[in-house]
Amino acid sequence: MTKKKQSQGVSPRTLFRSFAIAEMFTWAGLIAALILRALEVVNIVPIAGGIHGFVFLCYSATTIFVWVNQRWRLSLGLTGLLLAIVPFATVPFEITVEKKDCSPATGDLHQAERHRTVSSRTCKPGCSGMSFSRSLC
């Protein structure tokens, strides 16, 4: 007999990273579209803007999900949301959060909670903000 593998789905970490990268690429596309419109080559701003808007909303929703899931402090969660407005800032934020182990553990909410209580390397509830004078966690 063969065992059926259960689909694990997408982990919060993968989802957060994916939307951070996608948000960066859509910023590049929107900026390129604005330059092409300014040079009167072609006007694809409505298309690039729509795609970027959708990815921006997805990134924002994922950031809120991870913020609640990982019990980030208010300052860290707001920083993640506000950096979506700054072009190309989501990926450095994601890398910084990943290095400080404040990023979402793999799996669902319950698995992340178990991982947080078992491992000392994961982020403690209430990660602090993006200050260079103290660590994030």
Side-chain angles (χ1 to χ4, degrees), residues 42-136:
V42 66
N43 185 11
I44 56 172
V45 173
I47 296 168
I51 293 169
H52 174 69
F54 174 75
V55 172
F56 170 82
L57 292 174
C58 291
Y59 173 79
S60 299
T62 304
T63 302
I64 292 170
F65 168 69
V66 171
W67 180 358
V68 171
N69 183 29
Q70 294 305 114
R71 299 179 184 166
W72 287 350
R73 287 194 179 177
L74 179 65
S75 58
L76 184 61
L78 287 177
T79 301
L81 288 175
L82 292 174
L83 286 178
I85 298 168
V86 180
F88 311 111
T90 55
V91 173
F93 174 75
E94 189 274 330
I95 291 169
T96 303
V97 169
E98 174 84 19
K99 283 182 182 178
K100 297 297 182 182
D101 283 325
C102 294
S103 61
T106 57
D108 61 5
L109 288 170
H110 301 294
Q111 185 178 1
E113 181 64 30
R114 285 190 302 273
H115 186 66
R116 181 174 27 264
T117 58
V118 172
S119 175
S120 62
R121 282 188 37 99
T122 56
C123 186
K124 300 173 196 75
C127 281
S128 62
M130 295 288 293
S131 172
F132 294 104
S133 61
R134 60 182 185 198
S135 70
L136 286 172

